[in-house]
Amino acid sequence: MKGEANFLGGVASVKGVKGFDPEAAKKRFFEIYLDKYAKPDSGIGFPGALELITQCKSKGLKVAVASSADRIKVDANLAAAGLPLSMFDAIVSADAFENLKPAPDIFLAASKILNVPPSECIVIEDALAGVQAAKAAQMRCIAVRTTLSDETLESAGPTFIRDNIGSVSLDDILNGGSVGYNKRMQGPETVNNFAQSSSAVVAGKMDDGVRKTTSGTNESILSNGGLQGSRRDILRFGSLGIAISCLVFTISNWKAMQYASPKAIWNLLFGVAQPPLEQKEGNSRSDRIQQFVNYIADLESRGNAQVVPEFPSKLDWLNTAPLQFRRDLKGKVVLLDFWTYCCINCMHVLPDLDILEKKYKDMPFDNEKDSEAIRNAVLRYNITHPVVNDGDMYLWRKLGINSWPTFAIIGPDGKVLAQLAGEGHKKDLDDFVEAALLFYGKQNILDNTPITLNLEKDNDPRLLTSPLKFPGKLTIDVLNNRLFISDSNHNRIVVTDLDGNFILQIGSSGEEGLLDGSFDDATFNRPQGLAYNAKKNILYVADTENHALREIDFVNEKVRTLAGNGTKGSDYIGGGKGDTQADH
């Protein structure tokens, strides 16, 4: 998320803040912004946008958002403004770009995603840098007077100017509007030329959407800071100025900010309980486990480990009845996994948790937010350990968590032993849990009584009656009247006719695996994407959990692996052949 970090870093530079960490500040800024400002009654809005988008879609136009804000903020602002993400054919944000507006990169990316040439796109913008970016991308641009004067906007050369988004008409987009209504037409385009070239609408200003201006002081921060593109305009919106004030206040008065998680700020500034993870050359696994045992012994001797608060009452629990640390979990080593179902990194760690769960039995919890979405994720990913929906983020705040996924390992006395953030910690978690079991086992304080589970997958009638289990993707062979379905959670590919009548399956056992061979012998692991080559009668399969690309040959009735070896890799260069090239 480069956009907000660049902006906050620039403000700190202008103000002379020493040792400022833009990434840490950005995390805190988003927490405050999403909690207090990005809400339906916050004043964020784009009057007339919903109606205009609806009209554009009804005429077959593609609509995109292209913003210099980070994606998390764009999504929040759209939601607060009552604009569903499903309305847009593309949403492009600052996260993946080095060059923000007035550079054309973001608009050009939107054009590419929409599959519409830049010359056939029209941008609606209220920021000077946005108008400049549209012109650099060789797109037509309707500038709106939300925050800037006509003279300022005209200096960037928009196609014409309107008062606000609500005053932009469908006629403006399709035909260039009536001459009398336009403030100024820029360039040699005729009305007919304009009409022929408007195939897509790119909304360029979704950074904040609050129609308020800030004080002269905040204005000077941006002009003196030399911030890039639309960063200069964001301080015109009151919500961001207030959010920055809240950020400064929080850092200065963290003890008073209980709801805003002063613990998270403390953790960012001073670190959290974490064992030394580096493994010395030549040390065995037993040496490393003993290193963790020594760490736990030292932590216990100091007696300053944080005690985990109890789960609040009336939370939604999945796979088990409500649990309490001082009752059900006393005497157990517990692994808390803070995750969200829309985070790909969180999904990556589920196989690691599955391995640890099978090895150590009653161990992990997961912590999430939206109960029904969580339940669907529990079913889809076959999660069999307890899951609690801490929707108000109570434990998140109390433990000072600031990213997904984060693991908190809790001792049998309810104290935090360690916190690890991010994926790729399977070995660390395995060794540390084993060390904790060894340490507390010698003290005879472990309780090995299993936790009673009531798995969601055993109580959902859909899973018992449906022939498919969370099918992922499908594709069609029109010539041969066939439909291919990736039956993801049955680890197979199903072939039916176009009326849904079963023809055959590839991967008959339903077992997870990476095995080539005949249709009966071949195995998959959560297959998803499909692509059919009609000339060769071959179906290509993205075998997701195997991190492999598979080929199904219907002529010879064989399955073979084209790339990947079953291991998630980190090779971002590529060049390997066949199963020697690990997927990433």
Side-chain angles (χ1 to χ4, degrees):
M1 296 183 181
K2 301 178 179 64
E4 309 302 334
N6 290 345
F7 167 65
L8 293 170
V11 174
S13 176
V14 170
K15 288 296 185 179
V17 179
K18 303 297 183 182
F20 187 78
D21 185 348
E23 291 298 324
K26 177 192 67 180
K27 292 178 182 178
R28 189 68 200 112
F29 161 71
F30 277 136
E31 187 174 342
I32 296 171
Y33 184 80
L34 296 178
D35 182 56
K36 295 187 177 295
Y37 302 107
K39 296 180 178 181
D41 59 352
S42 63
I44 292 177
F46 310 96
L50 179 61
E51 293 77 11
L52 180 61
I53 294 170
T54 302
Q55 292 175 22
C56 290
K57 300 292 284 186
S58 69
K59 293 296 182 181
L61 297 180
K62 297 179 180 180
V63 182
V65 173
S67 172
S68 286
D70 291 310
R71 179 59 188 263
I72 187 173
K73 191 176 178 187
V74 173
D75 288 356
N77 286 330
L78 289 173
L83 299 175
L85 301 183
S86 58
M87 295 189 72
F88 301 96
D89 299 286
I91 297 178
V92 182
S93 58
D95 307 63
F97 296 89
E98 292 293 338
N99 300 318
L100 305 181
K101 303 172 189 177
D105 302 32
I106 290 179
F107 285 151
L108 292 175
S111 168
K112 185 175 182 180
I113 294 172
L114 294 176
N115 195 27
V116 175
S119 61
E120 296 182 15
C121 294
I122 182 167
V123 174
I124 300 175
E125 261 286 357
D126 69 349
L128 180 62
V131 178
Q132 293 169 338
K135 191 165 186 178
Q138 297 184 333
M139 297 179 181
R140 291 170 174 80
C141 179
I142 301 175
V144 295
R145 303 182 183 95
T146 308
T147 57
L148 300 177
S149 66
D150 286 357
E151 291 74 15
T152 302
L153 290 172
E154 287 171 2
S155 67
T159 308
F160 55 90
I161 299 172
R162 290 288 180 259
D163 286 332
N164 49 54
I165 293 179
S167 65
V168 177
S169 68
L170 187 61
D171 183 60
D172 290 337
I173 294 170
L174 293 176
N175 303 312
S178 61
V179 176
Y181 188 61
N182 295 343
K183 174 69 179 180
R184 175 178 293 184
M185 291 291 294
Q186 298 288 342
E189 294 89 350
T190 65
V191 171
N192 289 334
N193 187 14
F194 192 96
Q196 292 171 358
S197 63
S198 297
S199 302
V201 181
V202 181
K205 183 62 176 176
M206 291 290 175
D207 294 5
D208 288 284
V210 181
R211 302 313 183 201
K212 301 176 183 177
T213 58
T214 57
S215 66
T217 302
N218 285 336
E219 186 72 22
S220 66
I221 290 175
L222 282 179
S223 59
N224 291 335
L227 300 177
Q228 188 175 21
S230 61
R231 302 297 99 188
R232 301 178 186 277
D233 302 302
I234 290 181
L235 279 180
R236 297 181 182 277
F237 303 100
S239 65
L240 190 54
I242 297 171
I244 294 173
S245 299
C246 289
L247 174 63
V248 175
F249 178 83
T250 299
I251 295 175
S252 304
N253 304 274
W254 65 271
K255 288 185 178 180
M257 299 293 291
Q258 292 297 320
Y259 187 71
S261 185
K263 179 64 177 175
I265 298 175
W266 179 273
N267 289 349
L268 286 171
L269 294 175
F270 302 104
V272 296
Q274 180 173 315
L277 298 179
E278 68 280 358
Q279 186 166 0
K280 297 179 181 178
E281 187 176 353
N283 281 8
S284 63
R285 180 170 184 264
S286 59
D287 294 331
R288 191 170 192 244
I289 291 173
Q290 184 58 49
Q291 181 181 351
F292 289 157
V293 169
N294 295 340
Y295 163 84
I296 296 172
D298 179 65
L299 190 68
E300 289 285 358
S301 66
R302 287 187 275 116
N304 59 352
Q306 179 184 1
V307 176
V308 179
E310 282 292 3
F311 293 103
S313 60
K314 299 181 180 180
L315 294 183
D316 293 330
W317 286 80
L318 301 172
N319 287 338
T320 185
L323 302 174
Q324 292 289 305
F325 280 107
R326 315 293 181 261
R327 183 189 64 202
D328 313 276
L329 304 176
K330 184 178 181 180
K332 299 183 183 298
V333 175
V334 177
L335 175 60
L336 290 174
D337 169 24
F338 292 84
W339 66 291
T340 177
Y341 55 86
C342 58
C343 166
I344 187 61
N345 305 94
C346 299
M347 299 303 103
H348 285 166
V349 304
L350 288 177
D352 297 347
L353 291 180
D354 183 56
I355 293 172
L356 295 173
E357 181 184 359
K358 290 174 180 176
K359 181 174 182 179
Y360 297 108
K361 304 301 181 185
D362 305 296
M363 185 186 57
F365 298 105
D366 286 342
N367 176 290
E368 241 290 345
K369 193 170 182 65
D370 180 355
S371 292
E372 188 55 35
I374 301 167
R375 186 171 185 275
N376 287 332
V378 165
L379 294 172
R380 176 181 294 276
Y381 295 104
N382 197 30
I383 296 173
T384 58
H385 48 257
V387 177
V388 58
N389 171 17
D390 185 13
D392 292 327
M393 304 180 79
Y394 175 77
L395 280 181
W396 171 286
R397 298 179 188 282
K398 288 296 183 181
L399 297 183
I401 309 299
N402 56 49
S403 65
W404 292 294
T406 291
F407 304 96
I409 304 171
I410 315 301
D413 53 359
K415 296 179 180 179
V416 179
L417 301 180
Q419 286 186 21
L420 302 177
E423 59 176 302
H425 288 298
K426 182 180 73 171
K427 188 176 187 303
D428 299 328
L429 293 171
D430 187 5
D431 292 349
F432 192 89
V433 169
E434 184 163 331
L437 293 174
L438 283 173
F439 178 82
Y440 293 109
K442 290 180 180 180
Q443 298 184 21
N444 297 318
I445 61 173
L446 292 179
D447 179 1
N448 295 320
T449 306
I451 295 172
T452 302
L453 297 176
N454 183 20
L455 300 182
E456 296 296 320
K457 67 177 183 178
D458 297 334
N459 298 297
D460 193 312
R462 297 174 298 175
L463 300 182
L464 301 176
T465 57
S466 173
L468 302 175
K469 190 174 181 182
F470 291 100
K473 299 291 186 295
L474 57 83
T475 192
I476 297 176
D477 173 13
V478 178
L479 294 178
N480 297 300
N481 193 40
R482 292 187 298 181
L483 179 67
F484 306 109
I485 305 169
S486 56
D487 190 8
S488 302
N489 279 33
H490 281 144
N491 303 304
R492 64 177 181 170
I493 305 300
V494 174
V495 184
T496 71
D497 63 24
L498 297 186
D499 293 322
N501 299 307
F502 179 83
I503 298 177
L504 62 90
Q505 64 180 354
I506 302 98
S508 303
S509 70
E511 297 295 325
E512 298 175 357
L514 179 57
L515 184 64
D516 292 341
S518 69
F519 284 3
D520 288 333
D521 294 335
T523 56
F524 299 86
N525 193 352
R526 304 287 177 87
Q528 283 282 334
L530 303 173
Y532 179 64
N533 186 327
K535 293 183 179 179
K536 296 183 178 180
N537 198 12
I538 287 177
L539 181 68
Y540 299 99
V541 181
D543 197 1
T544 307
E545 293 301 324
N546 277 327
H547 309 283
L549 178 64
R550 314 289 295 280
E551 174 190 271
I552 298 177
D553 183 347
F554 286 98
V555 176
N556 299 305
E557 296 190 353
K558 295 288 184 181
V559 177
R560 72 185 183 109
T561 300
L562 299 179
N565 57 15
T567 302
K568 177 180 175 294
S570 57
D571 177 8
Y572 294 93
I573 299 176
K577 294 182 179 180
D579 59 8
T580 63
Q581 176 60 56
D583 170 57
H584 66 271

